[in-house]
């Protein structure tokens, strides 16, 4: 009796046998479309997958409105550059007889923004009634921007002059360090500068140039200041530092963090924001003008990103900005404006430029009369050092209700460089 129950127990827990997978037959999709003559046809849709040994079609558009098909002469020259891993692609379109070219890449510009959709290419063959769906390169449409061509004539002349010298093998630089390649370029530049024949050729070219002395006499010296875009002759403080030139139209959609924070309750967490932004939220909530509220909220968000970008590239505020998230367009802009590609840290002149951007934005938020005590703490600077940056922007200082504020009089008057006179020795 025990053996019978034991066999039943074993039969219930037998090892399951693997099931054979049934192969699914691929079905071709059919659909019905209407042509221009309102005649419906049945077509077969075929989706073609991307292959590793072939390059996918590249789809691009001209942002300037250039139409290559409208040119009745020669067709433009198209060059495609791609890395070995095919992670980056660059397209260069060169119209014939023009000094400009159109360049688009998959790793710069608007292509690095957040991708919300996938683009494909459809090719309809009416004879075979087949619609082929092809994947395109990087699953996105490239934007071709206008760029001025390099001076090819100067390059060809330099190549002719260096024809007698020994040509360097490009393969030699494959295993060189970046420092060694830079030193080699400097060495070749010194050799060319010390060559007497090259000096004679350069002097001959300079003698052929016509110098407009009258234009040089009427030209006044312009001092390049390390400040945001400005208009020194403006009669309105808003036009002195136009906000349109500081924040571009396509960047406002990435600066909505503070505006979304205003839609929440008054007790929402604001610890991650600078003190300057937190102290202006109560004033912004009472504003009834939605357009102005959204604009000021975008400026406050941009101030937050700039301060966090400064902290994340310094040893002092790295911990406070480690978890901060930058939109791709804003991160690309900060790297382009304030960071040098050759070094990992921010240079001193770029730090001063970033501080100037922050101070100009604070003036816009406070209607060009700002108390700079809280922004000085956010920038980890003293009020005395911050006053020098305000003065460099053309600001003046006043005392209101025992509080020192910075104002922006117009037209802008920048501080003049004072040179010390040498004392004459008696």
């Amino acid at each position: 009796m025990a053996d019978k129950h034991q066999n039943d127990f074993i039969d219930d827990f037998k090892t399951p046998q693997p099931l054979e997978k049934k192969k699914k037959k691929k079905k071709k999709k059919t659909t019905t479309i209407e042509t221009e003559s309102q005649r419906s046809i049945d077509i077969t849709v075929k989706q073609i997958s991307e292959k590793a040994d072939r390059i996918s079609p590249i789809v691009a558009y001209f942002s300037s409105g250039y139409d290559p098909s409208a040119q009745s002469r020669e067709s433009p020259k198209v060059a495609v550059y791609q890395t070995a891993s095919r992670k980056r692609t660059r397209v260069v379109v060169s119209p014939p007889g023009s000094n400009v070219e159109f360049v688009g890449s998959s790793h710069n510009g608007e292509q690095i923004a957040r991708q919300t959709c996938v683009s494909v290419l459809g090719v309809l063959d009416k004879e075979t009634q087949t619609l082929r769906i092809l994947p395109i390169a990087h699953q996105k449409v490239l934007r071709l921007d206008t760029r001025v061509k390099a001076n090819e004539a100067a390059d060809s002349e330099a190549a002719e002059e260096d024809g007698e010298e020994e040509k360097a093998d490009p393969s030699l630089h494959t295993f060189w360090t970046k420092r060694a390649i830079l030193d080699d370029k400097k060495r070749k530049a010194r050799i060319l500068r010390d060559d007497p024949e090259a000096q004679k050729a350069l002097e001959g070219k300079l003698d052929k140039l016509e110098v407009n002395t009258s234009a040089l006499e009427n030209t006044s010296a312009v001092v390049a200041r390390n400040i945001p875009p400005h208009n020194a002759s403006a009669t309105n403080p808003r036009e002195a530092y136009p906000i349109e030139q500081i924040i571009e139209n396509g960047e406002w959609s990435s600066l909505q963090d503070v505006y979304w924070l205003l839609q929440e309750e008054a007790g929402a967490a604001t610890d991650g924001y600078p003190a300057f932004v937190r102290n202006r939220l109560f004033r912004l909530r009472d504003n009834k003008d939605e357009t102005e509220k959204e604009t000021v909220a975008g400026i406050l968000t941009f101030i937050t990103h700039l301060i966090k970008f400064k902290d994340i590239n310094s040893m002092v505020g790295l911990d406070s900005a480690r978890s901060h998230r930058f939109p791709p367009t804003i991160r690309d802009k900060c790297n382009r404006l304030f960071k040098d590609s050759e070094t990992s840290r921010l240079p001193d002149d770029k730090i001063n430029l970033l501080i100037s951007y922050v101070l100009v934005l604070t003036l816009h938020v406070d209607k060009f009369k700002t108390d700079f005590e809280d922004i000085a703490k956010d920038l980890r600077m003293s009020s005395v050092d911050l006053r020098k940056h305000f003065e460099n922007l053309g600001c003046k200082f006043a005392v209101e209700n025992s509080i020192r504020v910075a104002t922006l009089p117009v037209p802008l008057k920048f501080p003049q460089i004072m040179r010390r006179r040498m004392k004459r020795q008696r």
Side-chain angles (χ1 to χ4, degrees), residues 366-377:
D366 291 342
K367 298 181 179 180
F368 302 95
K369 187 181 294 184
T370 179
D371 177 14
F372 50 89
E373 290 293 335
D374 46 6
I375 196 63
K377 296 179 181 178

Side-chain angles (χ1 to χ4, degrees), residues 317-329:
L318 179 60
D319 295 336
S320 62
R322 194 185 299 275
S323 60
H324 185 73
R325 295 183 179 181
F326 292 90
T329 54

Side-chain angles (χ1 to χ4, degrees), residues 25-66:
K25 296 183 179 179
K26 295 184 179 179
K27 298 181 179 180
K28 296 182 180 179
K29 298 180 180 179
T30 58
T31 184
T32 304
I33 63 173
E34 293 184 357
T35 60
E36 296 179 356
S37 59
Q38 301 297 328
R39 182 174 60 87
S40 62
I41 59 175
D42 295 333
I43 62 172
T44 302
V45 180
K46 293 183 179 180
Q47 187 170 2
I48 301 176
S49 59
E50 188 174 4
K51 297 183 178 180
D53 58 340
R54 298 180 184 179
I55 300 177
S56 301
I58 298 174
V59 181
Y61 73 97
F62 296 92
S63 60
S64 60
Y66 169 73

Side-chain angles (χ1 to χ4, degrees), residues 224-230 241 245-246 302-303 306-307 309-310 333-340 346-362 379 381 386 388-390 392-393:
R225 298 185 177 274
N226 195 25
I227 57 177
H230 60 281
Y241 291 96
Q245 297 183 16
I246 299 176
F302 192 36
I303 291 175
L306 291 178
I307 294 176
F309 185 81
K310 178 179 178 296
K333 180 175 184 176
C334 292
N335 289 329
R336 186 177 67 254
L337 290 177
F338 311 118
K339 203 167 186 179
D340 193 354
L346 298 182
D348 293 338
D349 58 334
K350 298 296 184 180
I351 294 177
N352 294 334
L353 179 60
L354 188 148
I355 294 173
S356 299
Y357 266 83
V358 172
L359 297 185
V360 168
L361 294 174
T362 58
L379 293 173
M381 299 174 59
L386 200 62
K388 299 177 181 178
H389 292 276
F390 273 113
N392 192 36
L393 295 172

Side-chain angles (χ1 to χ4, degrees), residues 102-322:
F102 302 92
V103 181
S105 60
S106 62
H107 55 280
N108 284 330
E110 68 178 12
Q111 277 72 25
I112 64 174
R114 182 181 179 183
Q115 187 176 356
T116 57
C117 63
V118 176
S119 301
V120 294
L121 179 63
V123 181
L124 176 62
D125 190 351
K126 293 183 179 179
E127 296 180 357
T128 60
Q129 297 183 356
T130 303
L131 176 63
R132 290 183 173 88
I133 306 298
L134 305 172
I136 64 176
H138 305 283
Q139 299 180 349
K140 63 181 70 174
V141 180
L142 304 183
R143 171 191 172 107
L144 299 178
D145 295 322
T146 309
R147 187 181 69 179
V148 180
K149 288 183 179 179
N151 192 358
E152 299 177 355
D155 297 340
S156 60
E157 292 178 2
E160 292 177 359
E161 293 178 0
D162 297 340
E164 299 178 357
E165 296 183 1
E166 182 182 359
K167 295 183 179 180
D169 189 5
S171 62
L172 295 178
H173 289 177
T174 304
F175 303 100
W176 288 21
T177 62
K178 293 182 179 180
R179 183 65 181 177
I181 296 174
L182 184 61
D183 293 341
D184 184 62
K185 291 181 180 180
K186 291 181 179 180
R187 182 184 60 81
K188 291 180 179 179
R190 288 195 299 268
I191 294 174
L192 181 61
R193 193 185 302 113
D194 297 337
D195 189 2
E197 295 182 359
Q199 292 289 341
K200 291 180 181 179
L202 183 59
E203 291 176 359
K205 293 179 182 179
L206 292 176
D207 293 338
K208 296 179 182 179
L209 295 177
E210 296 181 0
V211 181
N212 192 349
T213 56
S214 60
L216 292 176
E217 293 175 356
N218 297 330
T219 302
S220 58
V222 178
V223 179
R225 298 185 177 274
N226 195 25
I227 57 177
H230 60 281
N231 182 11
S233 59
T235 58
N236 189 349
R238 295 187 178 275
E239 298 176 358
Y241 291 96
I243 195 64
E244 297 82 8
Q245 297 183 16
I246 299 176
I247 303 177
E248 300 179 2
N249 293 332
E251 298 171 352
W252 288 100
S253 59
S254 303
L255 302 175
Q256 299 292 325
D257 295 350
V258 175
Y259 186 74
W260 292 337
L261 181 64
L262 295 176
Q263 309 304 322
E264 301 178 1
E265 298 180 357
T270 58
D271 297 337
Y273 291 90
F276 179 87
V277 177
R278 296 197 303 268
N279 295 338
R280 270 72 180 175
L281 290 179
F282 72 94
R283 187 193 309 170
L284 198 58
R285 284 193 175 94
D286 298 337
N287 195 342
K288 303 300 182 182
D289 190 352
E290 288 296 329
T291 303
E292 183 180 357
K293 179 187 293 187
E294 189 173 359
T295 302
V296 176
I299 297 175
L300 291 175
T301 306
F302 192 36
I303 291 175
T304 304
H305 291 317
L306 291 178
I307 294 176
K308 296 300 181 181
F309 185 81
K310 178 179 178 296
D311 290 343
I312 205 171
N313 287 279
S314 62
M315 298 300 296
V316 180
L318 179 60
D319 295 336
S320 62
R322 194 185 299 275

